């Protein structure tokens, strides 16, 4: 399973760089049909990490298989797991609602104990 990684410092430019990274990897792998959904969900997770984790940054891991889905996980050192709020509200966000809708519920979290958490999503065949 090929893995591609990106360090994501807590900067205003980080979500854009993460989106461009994911788009570039998927296009290079000729998975163009997955780019829009993966980029949107990546943007939500990286933005959430930059806004809420208040850490030294995050780490993005993109994994692919020829026969299966693409999985993107964003790791940070905040131990608080995110919660899914119902519905979309343009004022307060609802990033996970967007991720849940786009991925048809194929997302989740993983607690990493004292070292933080990971939030992931999958797009493509599953």
């Amino acid at each position: 399973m090929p893995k591609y990684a990106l360090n994501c410092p807590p900067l205003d430019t980080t979500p854009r760089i993460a989106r461009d990274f994911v788009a570039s990897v998927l296009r290079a792998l000729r998975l163009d049909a997955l780019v829009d959904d993966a980029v949107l969900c990546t943007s939500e997770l990286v933005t959430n990490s930059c806004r809420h984790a208040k850490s030294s940054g995050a780490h993005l891991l993109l994994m692919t298989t020829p026969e299966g889905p693409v999985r993107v996980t964003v790791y940070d050192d905040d131990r608080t797991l995110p919660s899914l709020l119902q519905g979309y509200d343009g004022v307060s966000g609802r990033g996970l609602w967007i991720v849940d809708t786009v991925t048809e519920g194929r997302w989740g979290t993983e607690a990493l104990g004292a070292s933080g958490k990971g939030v992931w999503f999958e797009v493509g065949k599953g």
Side-chain angles (χ1 to χ4, degrees), residues 8-15 50:
C8 300
L11 303 171
D12 292 341
T13 55
T14 295
C50 287

Side-chain angles (χ1 to χ4, degrees), residues 46-121:
V46 172
T47 298
N48 284 349
S49 180
C50 287
R51 283 192 182 152
H52 301 294
K54 309 282 189 219
S55 68
S56 60
H59 183 78
L60 184 150
L61 181 64
L62 185 154
M63 297 184 293
T64 65
T65 62
E67 69 285 343
V70 169
R71 178 180 276 217
V72 174
T73 306
V74 177
Y75 297 96
D76 61 46
D77 62 7
D78 182 2
R79 293 180 288 184
T80 305
L81 297 177
S83 59
L84 176 63
L85 302 175
Q86 293 303 312
Y88 177 77
D89 177 351
V91 175
S92 65
R94 298 294 191 251
L96 286 180
W97 179 82
I98 292 170
V99 171
D100 186 63
T101 300
V102 169
T103 66
E104 298 177 339
R106 293 171 45 209
W107 70 276
T109 61
E110 47 187 285
L112 303 174
S115 61
K117 69 173 177 307
V119 182
W120 59 268
F121 68 84

Side-chain angles (χ1 to χ4, degrees), residues 5 8 19 36 113 118:
C8 300
R19 290 190 302 265
D36 290 343

